[in-house]
Amino acid sequence: AKFLDKTLTAMGARLFRQWIVRPLRNVQAIEDRLNTVEVLLNNAALLENVRKDLSAISDVERLITKICTKRANPRDVSALKLSLQSAGLLIAALKSSQHENLHILTHSFPDFSNLTNQLDSWFVEHPPVHVGSGSVFREGVFPELDQLHDALNNGKAWLASYQESLRSSTGISTVKVGFNSVFGYYIELSNVHKDKTPNTWIRKQTLANAERYITPELKTIEDKLLNAEEKASGLEQKLYQETLQHIAEYASAVQESSMMIATIDCLQSFAQTARDYSYTKPNIVEHSAELEIKKGRHPVVERLLPSGKSYIPNSTSMNEQAYIHIVTGPNMAGKSVYLRQVGLIVLMAHIGS
């Protein structure tokens, strides 16, 4: 697998190993793989685009599992979104081909545009790892959360603005909005002007030279300022969990797409390997006892040769008149390498390489 595996995704790498340990016996299934590999091999631009899009796809199979079990962090969600967007580009590139096998392979790929557009509009471009820091969702998505963030960021400005509005409405320039840890936020008015106190003000504390009041508006501001951080963190956690639940509704479609991506990855891996190592397409004949290998090369030993050394090819011909061959030679002459070479070439043909 080390020398044949040129997959670019985690899903593709896992499927690649399954294909190796479970070779196909159905001729049509083998031919379908080989024909698809041939199309990719003969279209360098398409193969390059496929590999480029695959390299941008994370392990969506694992990501959707983490999301469904509520273990995903915001960066996992971002990785899923980017992966599904890249997968969309990948499928579009393959559908542009006129090859029937590529159309069959991609025609049932789910449309994730609604989900990715939502995630694009909800989440910031580079979300943090942890939820509750106040920087997961974009501004304007959740108004209540925006108000809490605004309270955290602009609390002093709010108080200054409220103080100015009180001075303007009462005509008393000495009205002051203050705070202490015992009484919280208050409006302070000197005794000189206490006769001008509006009826809506509620007395909170009496001092020697002044009175302190509270209003419903100031109480609202106080609640927002004192509890904004805790409320913002809790609300963000709640909204994030709801978002994960929404994404989880696409779980079956994402799982289905991950298998398609893995299959495409394996097939392009065969095509890239054939391009890099000058492999040829095998001809599979059903109900035949003939095995004909012309100029066969051991796929592993060939890659391990020192630089500048080339593998000397060996042919094999077996049929009904020659079921058994006897290979002779001294120790270390390469008899076992030749035997394994035949087996590996047959195995490669049966996995679609």
Side-chain angles (χ1 to χ4, degrees):
K2 176 181 177 182
F3 297 102
L4 292 180
D5 186 358
K6 293 185 181 292
T7 57
L8 297 167
T9 68
M11 299 91 69
R14 289 194 292 270
L15 183 62
F16 192 90
R17 283 160 177 75
Q18 291 181 30
W19 281 12
I20 289 178
V21 299
R22 297 174 182 174
L24 298 173
R25 296 180 64 186
N26 181 277
V27 173
Q28 186 58 55
I30 297 172
E31 290 287 357
D32 286 342
R33 283 187 189 176
L34 290 173
N35 291 338
T36 305
V37 171
E38 186 176 35
V39 172
L40 294 171
L41 175 62
N42 293 335
N43 192 329
L46 177 60
L47 179 59
E48 183 179 350
N49 287 335
V50 167
R51 288 182 62 81
K52 178 183 176 182
D53 292 331
L54 283 169
S55 64
I57 298 176
S58 302
D59 193 342
V60 297
E61 189 175 21
R62 297 282 172 86
L63 288 173
I64 196 63
T65 300
K66 290 180 71 175
I67 288 171
C68 289
T69 55
K70 302 294 181 68
R71 294 183 296 110
N73 62 51
R75 289 188 184 173
D76 291 330
V77 174
S78 180
L80 177 67
K81 177 202 72 176
L82 294 173
S83 296
L84 294 178
Q85 289 173 333
S86 295
L89 297 175
L90 167 68
I91 298 304
L94 291 172
K95 284 184 175 179
S96 67
S97 168
Q98 300 303 312
H99 191 262
E100 182 182 358
N101 283 43
L102 292 180
H103 286 197
I104 294 173
L105 187 63
T106 59
H107 84 279
S108 62
F109 192 86
D111 181 7
F112 293 107
S113 58
N114 285 340
L115 176 61
T116 55
N117 289 340
Q118 283 179 331
L119 296 180
D120 241 346
S121 62
W122 290 354
F123 284 77
V124 296
E125 187 173 357
H126 302 291
V129 175
H130 302 292
V131 184
S133 61
S135 53
V136 172
F137 296 105
R138 293 183 186 272
E139 185 177 351
V141 178
F142 301 108
E144 185 181 355
L145 186 62
D146 290 342
Q147 289 176 6
L148 292 170
H149 289 166
D150 191 33
L152 288 171
N153 299 326
N154 304 305
K156 289 183 179 180
W158 278 15
L159 291 171
S161 175
Y162 184 63
Q163 180 175 274
E164 283 301 314
S165 70
L166 292 175
R167 289 177 177 179
S168 175
S169 63
T170 61
I172 305 171
S173 61
T174 56
V175 171
K176 182 177 71 174
V177 176
F179 173 84
N180 66 41
S181 57
V182 177
F183 294 103
Y185 287 95
Y186 56 82
I187 302 167
E188 186 172 296
L189 187 64
S190 64
N191 288 336
V192 176
H193 301 289
K194 68 178 183 179
D195 293 338
K196 300 177 183 179
T197 304
N199 294 331
T200 54
W201 291 17
I202 303 168
R203 182 179 283 107
K204 192 169 187 179
Q205 184 184 14
T206 299
L207 303 178
N209 300 313
E211 295 283 351
R212 288 178 176 173
Y213 303 88
I214 189 72
T215 66
E217 294 83 3
L218 184 58
K219 189 63 180 173
T220 301
I221 294 175
E222 179 182 66
D223 289 342
K224 287 183 176 180
L225 293 180
L226 295 181
N227 302 312
E229 185 173 1
E230 181 180 352
K231 286 184 176 179
S233 177
L235 180 58
E236 189 173 71
Q237 290 277 4
K238 175 177 175 290
L239 293 171
Y240 181 71
Q241 292 301 317
E242 291 175 356
T243 301
L244 292 185
Q245 186 63 42
H246 174 64
I247 300 171
E249 294 174 6
Y250 291 82
S252 60
V254 173
Q255 293 284 6
E256 180 185 350
S257 71
S258 71
M259 180 54 67
M260 292 187 194
I261 293 168
T263 300
I264 294 166
D265 199 8
C266 290
L267 294 172
Q268 72 77 25
S269 176
F270 289 152
Q272 188 62 42
T273 301
R275 181 178 296 279
D276 292 344
Y277 305 155
S278 299
Y279 288 166
T280 57
K281 179 183 178 182
N283 180 29
I284 309 297
V285 181
E286 195 166 15
H287 307 307
S288 172
E290 184 177 3
L291 172 65
E292 187 76 25
I293 300 173
K294 296 180 181 179
K295 296 183 179 180
R297 309 183 325 259
H298 194 294
V300 178
V301 174
E302 182 182 38
R303 306 266 65 81
L304 296 175
L305 291 175
S307 179
K309 296 285 186 178
S310 59
Y311 191 87
I312 299 174
N314 302 281
S315 298
T316 305
S317 181
M318 304 183 77
N319 50 47
E320 293 179 351
Q321 284 73 44
Y323 275 134
I324 298 174
H325 288 215
I326 299 176
V327 184
T328 63
N331 291 341
M332 305 300 291
K335 300 185 298 296
S336 296
V337 172
Y338 176 72
L339 291 172
R340 293 192 181 97
Q341 170 185 305
V342 172
L344 288 174
I345 289 173
V346 171
L347 173 63
M348 288 167 62
H350 279 262
I351 63 176
S353 175

